[in-house]
Amino acid sequence: MPGVTDFEVTDFSVAVVGAGPAGLYAAEALAKGGVRVDVFDRLPTPYGLVRYGVAPDHKSIKSIARYLQRVLEHPAVRFFGCVELGTDVTRAELLACYDAVLYSTGAMVDRRLDVPGEDLPGSVAATDFVNWYCGHPDAADHDFDLSVEEVAVIGVGNVAVDVARILAKTADELAQTDIPVAVLDALSRSRVRRVHLVGRRGPAQAKFTTKEARELGELPGVSVHVRPADLELDPASAELEAGDRHVRGNLAAMRAWTGPPDPARDRRIDLRFWRAPVEILGSARVEGLRLERTALVDGRVRGTGEYEELPVGMVVRSVGYRSLPLDGVPFDERASVIVHEKGRIADGEYTAGWIKRGPSGVVGTNKSDAAETVGVLLSELGGRPRPVADIESVLASKGVEFVTYRGWLGLDAAEMALAKSLSRGERVKLGTWDAMRAACPPR
Ligand code: NAP
C-alpha cells in the first residue's frame, strides 16, 4: 500500500469533521504530511471546546485559538462552517469526495444521574449551563433561574469547578470576558450566594486539578469551606496522597479551607465529599437535594444508609460529557466512543479527540491523540479508490450555504468590534444563530 511518504507533494485530500482542537491538530499534522484538508463544522465558528467549553475567565487557555488559527490559515486547509454531518452532508458523500474522512466531533452531550426529580425545573446539565455562559447559539434560549440563593453542583471535576466559579463571581468580575451581553445581564441579576460542590467519593479522589482548585481559594469576596471531617483520609486515600503529586496538591489547597467562613465575604463555596445524590426534591421545581453519605469499600463507593438534605433551588449535574454516535460509524454505547484501533475505524475512516478516547485530558492532549490517528491515516493513504466527487458541487446541489474561513473572520471581527464598543475587553460573543450568520460576509 503506498503511504504518503512515497509522494513529495500529494494530491490526496482528507475531510476532517469537527473543527475543535482534535480536528485542527489533525488538520495540522495532515497538512504537514502534504495532504489537502477540508475541515467541516456544524457551527459557523471553529475551535470547538476552546470557544464553547473553556470558561470565559480562563483567557490563557482560550489563547490556544491563536495557535489553531494558524492551522486554518495553512494554504492546504479550508474551513466549511455550518455543514452538519448527517444533515447537510452524508458520510457516503464525504467518502466519495475524499481519500479519507476523520471524525472529531467531540462529546457535547450530558450524562444523567438517574435519580428521582432529575427533570424538575431547576435541575440542569452542566453542558447546558456551560454552553449558555460560553454563548453557544444552541443555548441562547436557555433561561436559568438564578433568583435562588443556594445551588448544588454534582461532581468534582474541572467542569464543576468552572460552574461553581462562574456562579460565585459577580457580573462585574466577568465583564472583561467574552460572555454574551444577554448572559452577562442575566448573571448580573443572580441572587446565588452559596454553591455546594458535591463529590460522591473523597477529597483524594477529586478529579479537579490543583491549579483550578487554588483559583477558587483566590476569588475575592468568596469564602471557600470544607469540613475537616470530610478531609480525613482512609488508608487507601493516604496512600494516594503519598504517591500522587496531583492528589497532594489538591489536599494541600483544601486543607487551607477548613477554618470558619469569613463573614466579610458575602459569597460562599462549600466542598462536600462522601455524599452521593439520591433524589432531587420539589413538587413544581427544585426545592432541595437529598444526599446519601458514602464510604469506599474495596475501592468502590457504597451508600452508608445515612441521609442529609441541602436546601438548594438549583442542581447542576456536572458528571461528565458523552459523545453521540454518527450514522453508520461503529459505536461503543457503553463507553460512548467510536470503535477504532489507534484511530482507524475502517478503510478510509478515522477518528480523533473525545469521540475517540472519551472526555478526558486537557486541550493539548488532543495533539498527541490526533498525531496517533494521522500517523495511521498517512500510512494507509492511497489504499482505497480515489475520490469521484467534488464537495463544493455536492453542497451546491443540496443548497447548503456553508461559511468559509473568510466568513468566520467577519464574525470574529464583529465580536471584537462589539467588545470595543462596550469597553468589554477583546471579544464579546454573538450568541444567537441569526446574529452569527448575519456577521459572516457572503461568499
Ligand atoms: P470529570 O473530570 O470526569 O469529572 C466528573 C465528576 O463527576 C467526577 O467527580 C465524578 O466522580 C463525578 N460523577 C460521575 N458520575 C457521577 C454520579 N452518578 N454521581 C455523582 N458524581 C458523579 O469530567 P468533567 O469535569 O466533565 O471534565 C471533562 C474533562 O475536561 C476533564 O479531562 C477535565 O480535566 C477537562 N477540563 C479541563 C479544564 C481545565 O483545564 N481548566 C476545564 C474544564 C474541563 P467519580 O470520580 O467518583 O466518578
Side-chain angles (χ1 to χ4, degrees), residues 314-327:
M314 179 175 174
V315 173
V316 185
R317 58 179 181 279
S318 180
V319 294
Y321 286 62
R322 73 190 162 86
S323 301
L324 289 177
L326 305 174
D327 204 18

Side-chain angles (χ1 to χ4, degrees), residues 154 156-159 162 200-201 207 212 318-319 354 360-361:
I154 311 289
V156 280
N158 277 330
V159 172
D162 280 349
R200 63 178 170 179
R201 297 191 286 160
K207 293 266 183 72
E212 277 59 35
S318 180
V319 294
W354 277 8
S360 65

